[in-house]
Amino acid sequence: MSVQPIFNRLALIGTGLIGSSIARAARAQGAARSIVATARSAATRRRVAELGLAGQVVETNAAAAEGADLVIVCVPVGACGAVAREIGPHLQPGTIVSDVGSVKGSVLRAMSPHLPAGVHFVPAHPVAGTEHSGPDAGFAELFVGRWCILTPPANVDQAAVERLAAFWRLIGANVEIMSAEHHDLVLGITSHLPHLIAYTIVGTADELGQVTRSEVLQFSAGGFRDFTRIAASDPTMWRDVFLHNKEAVLEMLGRFNEDLSMLTRAIRRGDGDTLFEQFTRTRAIRRGIVDIGQDSPAPDFGRPHPDLPHEPLPRPYAVDDK
Ligand code: NAP
């Protein structure tokens, strides 16, 4: 069954992990009649063309915005304001402008003043990603079953919000609508603080002596390696996230430090009850995430495990073995 395209001309400004995934998914689902893409560097634009991610790859943000009825800005949050200033004069009335930034309040403040009347600005954040960057890292299924949060300003045209929501649903996402301030607080605890903790713990381990450091890598399956995946995330993107969601991150960090002190005290005093209660509570949260389908129930994140090196031992201990 063929689907009616929701947009005529989709412009992607920035074609890294997120922009290229939108391009792939929109093409696969026929969400737009045509796709035009651009990126900051000639090297990325060339790669986008080689990969065939868009019908047209253009050199400037202004050229991409020209004639588009949906423009999605997929660059680091610190660059969104400058992009809006560049594209503003080239947008046609009725165009929907959106973004994918991991912070919403500062993007709203940075982009809004540059967008002309008659253009509908509906900021968005797909809560989906990996630790990889660039156009080769994207894939069409990235958003399937993940949430895309829209943070429309109060006065925005509801039909535009619904049209953008339909676009995200067509490429597999679930859509939630909330205010930019609320988004920044929620993501502060669910995404930004965990990244800060991962960057810290991996950095701390790296500062240990050379011998110990090699052991940290060797025995990383004890827990450390799961932090290293998050700590491998793009430095530019995450620098911008912390600079632009400063208030919410500092608020969450304050609470985190208090809780960490509480656990530190419990360990020092040998207070097993406090530790046990806390760990029981957090185990239930993990089970809740699995129950609502936001992660796999397979042990160890579903990593495949190698076979035993030799024939399995006979199992005289198993009652139902013949
Ligand atoms: P990415 O793979 O590094 O791609 C970034 C794109 O933006 C590239 O095309 C890059 O062009 C361009 N760009 C970089 N700096 C720029 C600047 N100063 N001005 C104009 N263009 C610039 O990044 P990404 O992971 O797709 O992230 C893009 C946005 O998505 C960010 O706002 C991020 O917060 C948000 N986001 C990321 C994730 C995630 O997990 N990665 C998840 C959800 C949302 P060149 O290649 O030519 O430099």
Side-chain angles (χ1 to χ4, degrees):
M1 197 180 72
S2 70
V3 179
Q4 251 327 75
I6 299 171
F7 290 95
N8 197 36
R9 186 173 167 86
L10 163 64
L12 294 165
I13 297 186
T15 326
L17 170 70
I18 301 295
S20 76
S21 295
I22 296 175
R24 289 173 168 99
R27 171 161 288 193
Q29 294 295 83
R33 278 195 185 82
S34 65
I35 301 176
V36 56
T38 190
R40 176 178 54 170
S41 67
T44 301
R45 293 196 295 271
R46 204 165 38 246
R47 188 64 188 140
V48 171
E50 277 166 13
L51 291 167
L53 295 177
Q56 215 187 339
V57 180
V58 295
E59 288 198 6
T60 65
N61 297 335
E66 207 90 53
D69 54 350
L70 173 62
V71 178
I72 307 183
V73 177
C74 308
V75 305
V77 293
C80 286
V83 169
R85 191 179 334 115
E86 249 182 286
I87 65 173
H90 303 271
L91 296 166
Q92 63 188 18
T95 298
I96 297 175
V97 173
S98 190
D99 75 308
V100 293
S102 308
V103 180
K104 298 277 48 99
S106 76
V107 167
L108 192 63
R109 286 188 293 275
M111 289 183 71
S112 298
H114 304 294
L115 302 176
V119 163
H120 310 296
F121 182 35
V122 187
H125 175 205
V127 187
T130 75
E131 66 277 29
H132 301 297
S133 310
D136 286 280
F139 52 100
E141 303 79 14
L142 178 62
F143 309 110
V144 175
R146 299 283 162 248
W147 287 96
C148 182
I149 302 174
L150 307 187
T151 62
N155 56 352
V156 83
D157 178 36
Q158 280 313 304
V161 177
E162 197 31 61
R163 219 168 139 214
L164 186 66
F167 174 85
W168 278 103
R169 287 193 193 100
L170 184 56
I171 62 172
N174 306 315
V175 174
E176 180 82 53
I177 295 178
M178 62 179 72
S179 72
E181 294 69 30
H182 190 67
H183 167 278
D184 289 352
L185 213 54
V186 172
L187 272 290
I189 188 67
T190 59
S191 171
H192 307 170
L193 188 60
H195 275 79
L196 195 68
I197 293 167
Y199 281 124
T200 310
I201 195 167
V202 175
T204 304
D206 187 52
E207 279 164 20
L208 298 173
Q210 190 61 42
V211 176
T212 321
R213 195 190 304 161
S214 71
E215 288 174 333
V216 166
L217 301 183
Q218 186 176 348
F219 303 120
S220 64
F224 182 73
R225 88 183 160 186
D226 292 330
F227 285 103
T228 62
R229 187 192 68 76
I230 299 179
S233 300
D234 187 66
T236 306
M237 166 185 161
W238 283 97
R239 176 202 62 196
D240 281 12
V241 167
F242 292 115
L243 294 180
H244 291 265
N245 198 22
K246 185 171 157 181
E247 303 305 328
V249 170
L250 289 177
E251 163 68 21
M252 295 306 165
L253 202 51
R255 288 165 184 249
F256 174 79
N257 280 329
E258 283 172 21
D259 292 345
L260 191 61
S261 301
M262 186 263 292
L263 290 182
T264 309
R265 199 169 54 241
I267 293 169
R268 184 173 295 119
R269 292 180 179 173
D271 176 1
D273 288 348
T274 296
L275 298 176
F276 188 82
E277 271 166 36
Q278 172 77 1
F279 302 162
T280 306
R281 203 152 58 91
T282 55
R283 183 178 234 195
I285 290 170
R286 167 70 194 167
R287 286 179 178 159
I289 289 171
V290 170
D291 287 348
I292 62 168
Q294 289 297 301
D295 205 355
S296 155
D300 199 16
F301 300 104
R303 287 185 177 100
H305 289 276
D307 292 332
L308 283 166
H310 308 294
E311 284 295 301
L313 294 170
R315 301 170 64 219
Y317 47 83
V319 282
D320 53 352
D321 271 2
K322 290 274 175 309

